[in-house]
Amino acid sequence: MPGYHPQDIEKKWQAHWKDQQTFRADNASAKPKYYVLDMFPYPSGAGLHVGHPLGYIASDIVSRYKRLRGFNVLHPMGFDSFGLPAEQYAIQTGQHPALTTEQNIGTYIRQLSSLGFSYDWSREVRTSDPAYYKWTQWIFLKLFNSWYNLDTNQAEPLKTLLDKFAENGSAGIRAAGDEEERHSFTNGQWKLFSEKQRLQAVHPYRLAYQQDTYVNWCPGLGTVLSNDEVKDGLSERGGFPVERRLMPQWNLRITAYADRLLQGLDTLDWPDAVKEMQRNWIGKSIGAEVEFRIQNSAEESAEDQQPTTNTQQPTIKVYTTRVDTIYGATFLVLAPEHELVAELTTPGQQATVQDYIDATKRRSERDRMADTKTVSGAFTGSFGINPLSGEPVQIWIADYVLAGYGTGAVMAVPSGDQRDYVFAKNFRLPIIPVTDAQQIEEQADPTKEGRYINSELINGLTYKEATHKLIQHLEANGIGKGKTNFRIRDAIFGRQRYWGEPIPIYYKEGVAYGVAEADLPLVLPEIDEYKPTETGEPPLGRAKDWKYKGLYDYELSTMPGWAGSSWYYLRYMDPHNAERFVGEEAEQYWQNVDLYLGGAEHATGHLLYSRFWHLFLKDLGLVTANEPFQKLINQGMILGRSNFVHRLSDIWGYDIQDSKEPEWMEVEPTVFISNELHQRLNSGKSSATEKAWVESKLNEKAIFWNAINSKSVSLKVNFDDIDFSKSQPIHVDVSLVDNDILDIQALEKWRTDFANALYISEPDGQFICSWEVEKMSKSKYNVVSPDVLIERYGADALRLYEMFLGPLEQYKPWNTNGMSGVAGFLKKLWRLYHPQDGGFAVTDEAAAPAELKALHKAIRKVEEDIEKFSFNTTVSALMITVNELTALDCHKRAVLEPLVVLLSPYAPHLAEELWVELGHAAGSISSATYPEFREEFLVEDTVNYPVAINGKVRETLQFPATATAADIEAAVRASDFLARFAEGKEAKKFIVVPGRMVNVVV
């Protein structure tokens, strides 16, 4: 059959690329390298919908374009295949998650291949493959066996720390981490320590360490969840309650890299919004740490509260960025999880405090940070002493303070902080102004202007003077010190799940040891169920005889989902290397990712953790680049176009006819009404004829409602009794709708409960659905499978359409109806090579100037737009070019051969087919040369000039492009222009703007 039929050519070329490994990249080449990477997908059972490939199409266009520009391109794909969804499915079905994961990956590979992506599939990685996660475990062991030396500002092997212990003990060692967790000892004591004592002393220095940590614990799922997996106190998956719980957890000391992670952002070509999110998440601040003494039993507490009995109480440390306001600190607020809360709570406040703590456990840290409106807290009953004013201050707990940030305690200054102000107003606590510039009658005033008042030591000073003097005073008196702080906290690394990388740790005498590198990978054992044990252990507790060397218990937690994705870009460089996580030569050649595409939702998760791991590996000399991803583009989301049928929800009254006694019956029938008809009826814009027609349709269907009363009677529907404003929109599967026209029979098969409903269509018989743009989701039945569209329109059309929807970074609504326009463009392009859809008929005739002009405009536009990742405008340019060449009836090789190369990144299947027809070797278009733009083909021979009299355009005249201003003036004077438009007046002045216009002043 003549004509363009993508189904006939696309599978052919996909098979060719696979058989010939067309896109296989070399780890050594004289060509410049270019590494393009997509954030690899988690293979869910639902497969891809049309929103997923958006970034993949863009990265593939860039990859194919860069090959044409002479680059050695690495464009790999793999799967983030560990995760909670597969485990939950395993719990429900008893099916091993490896099996469902394998099946899902098969679906993804089929779908990705059907879109013609130029991936080097020989480099595919899967995070759940033991050959891959062997190296994830290996990197963890490197972290476990390293510490962060603040003197060298980098991670070092533990051996350098042990050498320091042997020489000087713990004295003088500056290491990242919590100093209070560490022991002090001399070198003599170190030498006398047992192995166990040495390991216990070293553990608080490790970059991977175990510590009691507050986590999001979900009893329903039996696991710890990340903040991203918790919403409104419930697990995102399953909707189970989540609580904050103190548990022993493995942590990674990302805080050691906080400053370097912050500085590195300045070197990256990333969206400003993503960099700002990371800056805020890292949260660097410069301030002071201050100690508030706790009031002891010998001191009378304010408001006659019961004094505490402990005379040796510790101090409360607070971190503040506004030490200048310390005299205005009128109360202290601790995180509900703070270690001193139990000790500070007086008997009279015990019930109140415990209730508040229990409520806090049900909220995630993210919810607590985001909620700025709720005012809540509980008084402990105890008091602290302001270290400068000497005044007693109440000690409260409140969930807006987080245990992991700073010290888990804040000094509350209601005159300068709005949250403290609202809290103080709500609980009637003192508010003391601290500067003469503050206006605090209605809200807090954080100003640094004016001079200090009510602040004995710094009264009359400015902000800079006061801050400097206070820090000096605090340090001189041993009650505080200047300090730089970060909001970021160490990353919780353990998950109480099965389907994840086993943490390569075993325990001897209760002390953690790393599994020997030679014994990696530590493979997931087989277990009978994927739920926690009856005694509350993680699922790995079900493994039988699972011990290291047959003797020692393994760690039962597994790694989080982000572990394998934190370094996968390195494995792609050398995926089959059995001796090293990435070969040195391969890593030095590829170095890092030149272009990374993915969602902005990973800004403070995957992207931050990957940068952390990369910096660590660089410290150990294992990688050479400073950052993993040099340029980042966040593709926007493709939104679904949902369709709705409207069910009238009014309860109507019906006269029951043919009964012996008059009766009135109320029913609520299932009646669906076409959207446009519904709008007319609801707005009162329908005609009397249309109203009568609707009433007749209702009465035709009335027999179906007789069964409601089990009476063989007819019902009479009165139109005026119906309230058309009452209706319920119901989602329908968009696959049942074409151009908003519903297939009623298909709906009745899909929803059997609608089989006996009444469908009131438009007078022409069509039933029109309403629509709305929403997030694409299975629950909204607006998911569109690429499989269906590829079968109908072809993969090239889908690729072009997704790019044509709008700028890559923006959110875009999906509308399948638009696919036909792009498919029509490809057919029109085909006809340039196959006139009237006949045989191939490209000629070797010389190209005309107009044809070369159209081509070279396209060459320049496509190049400029791809280089700035403006893919939608490139598609528009190609469409314009094809329209111009069609109008010129161009079928010439000199124009159409370069045009195929321009097209190939966007529509590779069609381009390959035409390339072969043009006489080239099969599959060779990927190694073709991008056409050279030649400016001379765009030079115009003539220019059209608007010619004006006193600024008012009267006519357009054509002059040679080389004409000078004098030439143009002479030509206008010689013409009849002045005679026709100057009204007999003489020309005083000629103003000629070269190439633009002529203005004659008369």
Side-chain angles (χ1 to χ4, degrees):
M1 181 184 296
Y4 168 58
H5 301 286
Q7 296 79 5
D8 297 337
I9 64 174
E10 291 182 348
K11 287 185 172 59
K12 176 181 76 173
W13 286 110
Q14 289 160 14
H16 177 90
W17 296 331
K18 181 179 179 181
D19 293 342
Q20 300 300 315
Q21 297 190 44
T22 303
F23 309 113
R24 186 163 186 155
D26 295 324
N27 278 355
S29 173
K31 297 178 179 180
K33 70 94 179 181
Y34 198 81
Y35 186 174
V36 184
L37 184 61
D38 301 300
M39 290 185 185
F40 63 172
Y42 176 82
S44 71
L48 295 173
H49 62 62
V50 293
H52 293 129
L54 180 68
Y56 303 157
I57 296 169
S59 68
D60 195 59
I61 289 169
V62 174
S63 298
R64 290 176 177 274
Y65 168 75
K66 287 294 184 179
R67 292 190 190 98
L68 297 174
R69 302 297 305 198
F71 286 84
N72 180 29
V73 176
L74 174 56
H75 187 37
M77 177 50 75
F79 299 95
D80 193 9
S81 49
F82 272 132
L84 187 58
E87 180 161 324
Q88 287 302 299
Y89 188 74
I91 291 172
Q92 296 165 12
T93 64
Q95 198 171 34
H96 197 288
L99 180 60
T100 56
T101 299
E102 181 71 24
Q103 292 170 344
N104 295 343
I105 287 175
T107 299
Y108 269 61
I109 290 176
R110 177 188 60 76
Q111 290 185 305
L112 292 169
S113 298
S114 72
L115 282 157
F117 296 135
S118 60
Y119 293 129
D120 180 353
W121 282 108
S122 71
R123 295 174 183 257
E124 179 198 344
V125 300
R126 304 178 183 186
T127 58
S128 58
D129 181 352
Y132 178 87
Y133 70 70
K134 165 187 176 177
W135 298 107
T136 309
Q137 293 172 334
W138 180 84
I139 295 172
F140 172 84
L141 288 176
K142 292 295 181 187
L143 287 158
F144 179 70
N145 291 314
S146 298
W147 68 297
Y148 198 92
N149 187 343
L150 292 175
D151 290 328
T152 60
N153 197 31
Q154 66 177 30
E156 297 178 4
L158 279 179
K159 183 182 183 305
T160 64
L161 178 66
L162 301 182
D163 289 344
K164 290 178 181 291
F165 286 165
E167 184 177 351
N168 296 311
S170 61
I173 293 177
R174 297 180 64 247
D178 190 347
E179 296 175 5
E180 296 181 1
E181 294 290 324
R182 295 166 182 162
H183 308 289
S184 296
F185 50 84
T186 65
N187 60 340
Q189 290 173 316
W190 171 258
K191 292 173 183 176
L192 295 175
F193 280 172
S194 65
E195 180 185 46
K196 180 177 181 179
Q197 288 173 315
R198 288 189 175 191
L199 289 172
Q200 289 172 330
V202 168
H203 194 80
Y205 292 84
R206 297 182 188 271
L207 290 183
Y209 65 96
Q210 196 175 37
Q211 186 181 64
D212 285 348
T213 306
Y214 277 98
V215 296
N216 299 317
W217 173 250
C218 179
L221 295 176
T223 187
V224 169
L225 300 176
S226 68
N227 284 329
D228 291 334
E229 295 169 317
V230 182
K231 186 174 183 181
D232 300 326
L234 301 175
S235 63
E236 190 174 50
R237 177 164 291 274
F240 298 105
V242 177
E243 64 182 51
R244 298 289 291 168
R245 181 181 290 187
L246 191 64
M247 297 177 66
Q249 283 293 328
W250 282 96
N251 296 265
L252 299 188
R253 207 179 297 280
I254 190 174
T255 50
Y257 287 85
D259 216 20
R260 288 168 65 186
L261 289 168
L262 202 57
Q263 293 169 12
L265 290 171
D266 295 333
T267 69
L268 299 177
D269 184 6
W270 285 17
D272 289 338
V274 174
K275 292 199 283 188
E276 193 60 26
M277 287 173 71
Q278 288 207 0
R279 289 190 183 101
N280 292 335
W281 191 260
I282 295 167
K284 183 177 182 178
S285 60
I286 298 173
E289 191 173 79
V290 185
E291 295 183 8
F292 280 71
R293 184 166 53 86
I294 297 171
Q295 190 176 57
N296 62 34
S297 58
E299 297 170 302
E300 186 73 11
S301 62
E303 300 182 15
D304 250 2
Q305 296 293 329
Q306 177 69 33
T308 57
T309 58
N310 184 358
T311 59
Q312 301 296 322
Q313 290 170 323
T315 59
I316 295 175
K317 289 184 179 180
V318 302
Y319 174 78
T320 176
T321 58
R322 292 294 305 274
V323 69
D324 58 300
T325 64
I326 191 169
Y327 284 94
T330 57
F331 57 101
L332 296 175
V333 184
L334 310 185
E337 305 92 344
H338 195 286
E339 59 186 5
L340 292 178
V341 170
E343 186 176 340
L344 293 173
T345 302
T346 60
Q349 294 297 113
Q350 187 68 48
T352 301
V353 168
Q354 190 58 51
D355 287 346
Y356 191 82
I357 291 173
D358 291 342
T360 301
K361 287 180 179 179
R362 295 189 288 271
R363 305 187 72 197
S364 72
E365 286 192 355
R366 178 162 292 182
D367 290 339
R368 288 162 60 178
M369 292 169 67
D371 185 2
T372 59
K373 295 181 179 179
T374 304
V375 183
S376 67
F379 178 43
T380 64
S382 292
F383 291 78
I385 302 296
N386 186 311
L388 293 186
S389 71
E391 294 294 322
V393 293
Q394 293 185 13
I395 302 173
W396 287 68
I397 62 170
D399 64 5
Y400 72 84
V401 180
L402 304 178
Y405 177 58
T407 63
V410 299
M411 66 176 206
V413 183
S415 63
D417 181 272
Q418 186 61 25
R419 181 164 250 179
D420 295 342
Y421 184 91
V422 173
F423 193 95
K425 284 286 188 180
N426 188 72
F427 293 108
R428 299 181 180 179
L429 298 169
I431 302 175
I432 300 174
V434 291
T435 78
D436 57 13
Q438 282 184 322
Q439 301 292 327
I440 60 171
E441 290 77 13
E442 297 182 2
Q443 62 184 17
D445 184 352
T447 183
K448 296 177 182 177
E449 306 300 322
R451 295 182 179 271
Y452 289 88
I453 60 174
N454 300 321
S455 306
E456 181 183 355
L457 189 65
I458 56 172
N459 277 338
L461 299 184
T462 63
Y463 168 74
K464 279 190 175 181
E465 295 168 340
T467 301
H468 179 70
K469 185 172 184 178
L470 285 171
I471 290 177
Q472 278 190 325
H473 179 82
L474 292 170
E475 291 178 346
N477 289 275
I479 53 176
K481 60 183 178 182
K483 189 175 182 181
T484 298
N485 206 26
F486 294 90
R487 180 178 291 111
I488 192 173
R489 282 154 288 153
D490 285 341
I492 298 172
F493 197 67
R495 297 290 187 269
Q496 286 63 52
R497 304 174 186 163
Y498 172 73
W499 193 234
E501 301 93 334
I503 296 177
I505 292 291
Y506 67 94
Y507 295 92
K508 184 168 65 173
E509 297 182 13
V511 176
Y513 289 76
V515 169
E517 290 181 8
D519 294 327
L520 298 179
L522 173 57
V523 179
L524 272 174
E526 295 292 331
I527 57 176
D528 56 355
E529 281 189 277
Y530 306 105
K531 298 184 295 186
T533 68
E534 287 73 14
T535 55
E537 292 176 315
L540 286 181
R542 296 179 178 276
K544 295 180 180 179
D545 303 320
W546 193 52
K547 293 180 181 291
Y548 187 57
K549 306 292 187 184
L551 298 172
Y552 307 111
D553 291 334
Y554 281 117
E555 168 62 48
L556 298 182
S557 296
T558 54
M559 298 185 192
W562 54 264
S565 64
S566 292
W567 73 281
Y568 76 114
Y569 62 96
L570 292 168
R571 191 60 178 171
Y572 280 140
M573 298 177 184
D574 197 14
H576 308 297
N577 193 325
E579 305 301 322
R580 205 172 186 272
F581 75 113
V582 57
E584 291 184 71
E585 291 183 3
E587 189 278 328
Q588 288 169 10
Y589 177 74
W590 294 109
Q591 297 221 348
N592 63 1
V593 176
D594 295 285
L595 175 64
Y596 197 26
L597 282 93
E601 67 273 14
H602 299 292
T604 57
H606 159 64
L607 289 170
L608 195 60
Y609 295 139
S610 294
R611 295 183 62 220
F612 159 45
W613 278 38
H614 191 92
L615 287 172
F616 168 70
L617 293 171
K618 183 170 176 61
D619 284 351
L620 297 191
L622 298 170
V623 298
T624 53
N626 292 321
E627 290 279 347
F629 317 118
Q630 190 55 42
K631 181 173 181 61
L632 173 72
I633 295 178
N634 295 135
Q635 80 269 14
M637 184 184 295
I638 286 185
L639 302 172
R641 191 177 190 274
S642 302
N643 279 114
F644 302 85
V645 290
H646 288 263
R647 178 167 61 189
L648 297 176
S649 55
D650 187 23
I651 296 179
W652 306 340
Y654 295 90
D655 290 320
I656 300 179
Q657 305 295 316
D658 302 327
S659 58
K660 295 180 180 178
E661 297 180 6
E663 295 183 52
W664 180 258
M665 178 175 123
E666 285 191 346
V667 297
E668 188 173 6
T670 301
V671 178
F672 294 110
I673 187 164
S674 180
N675 180 53
E676 293 183 6
L677 175 61
H678 181 222
Q679 289 183 349
R680 292 196 300 274
L681 293 170
N682 193 33
S683 63
K685 294 181 179 179
S686 57
S687 64
T689 302
E690 196 165 58
K691 291 178 182 178
W693 179 78
V694 170
E695 185 175 85
S696 69
K697 298 300 290 184
L698 289 167
N699 281 295
E700 282 178 17
K701 194 71 174 180
I703 190 171
F704 285 100
W705 303 325
N706 291 349
I708 295 173
N709 255 16
S710 300
K711 294 182 178 180
S712 297
V713 296
S714 60
L715 305 179
K716 173 63 176 172
V717 181
N718 297 315
F719 181 90
D720 292 335
D721 293 330
I722 304 171
D723 184 353
F724 286 98
S725 68
K726 296 179 180 178
S727 69
Q728 177 189 18
I730 299 175
H731 280 94
V732 294
D733 195 313
V734 293
S735 66
L736 310 178
V737 182
D738 184 15
N739 273 325
D740 296 330
I741 299 171
L742 176 69
D743 183 336
I744 295 175
Q745 290 183 332
L747 174 66
E748 291 179 330
K749 290 179 181 178
W750 180 61
R751 289 284 300 268
T752 55
D753 52 323
F754 293 165
N756 288 332
L758 170 60
Y759 297 87
I760 305 179
S761 301
E762 301 292 327
D764 63 1
Q766 293 184 335
F767 189 99
I768 300 174
C769 296
S770 66
W771 60 274
E772 184 177 325
V773 174
E774 305 178 286
K775 181 179 179 181
M776 200 168 277
S777 167
K778 288 188 295 182
S779 65
K780 302 180 188 301
Y781 304 108
N782 62 357
V783 170
V784 179
S785 169
D787 298 351
V788 175
L789 299 178
I790 290 171
E791 181 63 31
R792 184 172 180 181
Y793 299 103
D796 285 341
L798 180 57
R799 289 167 63 108
L800 282 164
Y801 182 59
E802 294 220 6
M803 292 298 96
F804 187 59
L805 283 173
L808 180 63
E809 297 89 346
Q810 293 182 8
Y811 279 41
K812 296 168 282 290
W814 179 265
N815 185 353
T816 300
N817 301 334
M819 284 286 296
S820 58
V822 175
F825 155 69
L826 291 175
K827 291 177 181 177
K828 181 179 286 189
L829 180 127
W830 174 266
R831 293 181 189 121
L832 291 175
Y833 302 80
H834 304 81
Q836 287 79 49
D837 284 334
F840 183 74
V842 174
T843 72
D844 290 324
E845 292 179 62
E851 295 166 337
L852 290 170
K853 180 181 177 182
L855 171 66
H856 283 268
K857 280 195 304 182
I859 292 172
R860 182 171 64 179
K861 180 65 174 172
V862 171
E863 179 180 358
E864 289 176 350
D865 286 355
I866 291 184
E867 291 287 357
K868 62 186 180 184
F869 310 103
S870 181
F871 304 105
N872 60 311
T873 53
T874 304
V875 177
S876 298
L878 289 170
M879 289 178 171
I880 292 169
T881 302
V882 169
N883 285 339
E884 290 177 348
L885 294 176
T886 300
L888 293 168
D889 197 26
C890 177
H891 306 291
K892 298 167 183 175
R893 177 182 296 274
V895 174
L896 299 187
E897 188 166 279
L899 181 63
V900 172
V901 179
L902 293 185
L903 177 75
S904 62
Y906 288 82
H909 307 90
L910 176 55
E912 289 276 20
E913 186 74 9
L914 295 174
W915 191 247
V916 170
E917 290 189 327
L918 287 162
H920 299 282
S924 64
I925 197 169
S926 295
S927 57
T929 301
Y930 188 82
E932 180 185 358
F933 168 68
R934 293 175 60 181
E935 181 76 39
E936 62 264 30
F937 291 123
L938 301 190
V939 175
E940 301 283 355
D941 294 331
T942 59
V943 178
N944 291 325
Y945 280 81
V947 185
I949 297 285
N950 291 342
K952 185 175 182 179
V953 175
R954 299 289 188 174
E955 192 171 38
T956 298
L957 300 177
Q958 191 176 80
F959 301 102
T962 56
T964 66
D967 294 336
I968 294 172
E969 180 179 341
V972 173
R973 287 184 182 278
S975 72
D976 63 351
F977 177 81
L978 292 172
R980 287 186 291 123
F981 298 110
E983 298 177 353
K985 299 176 182 177
E986 292 187 7
K988 294 181 179 180
K989 187 178 182 181
F990 270 76
I991 302 171
V992 178
V993 181
R996 299 290 298 277
M997 70 169 294
V998 178
N999 185 33
V1000 183
V1001 180
V1002 298

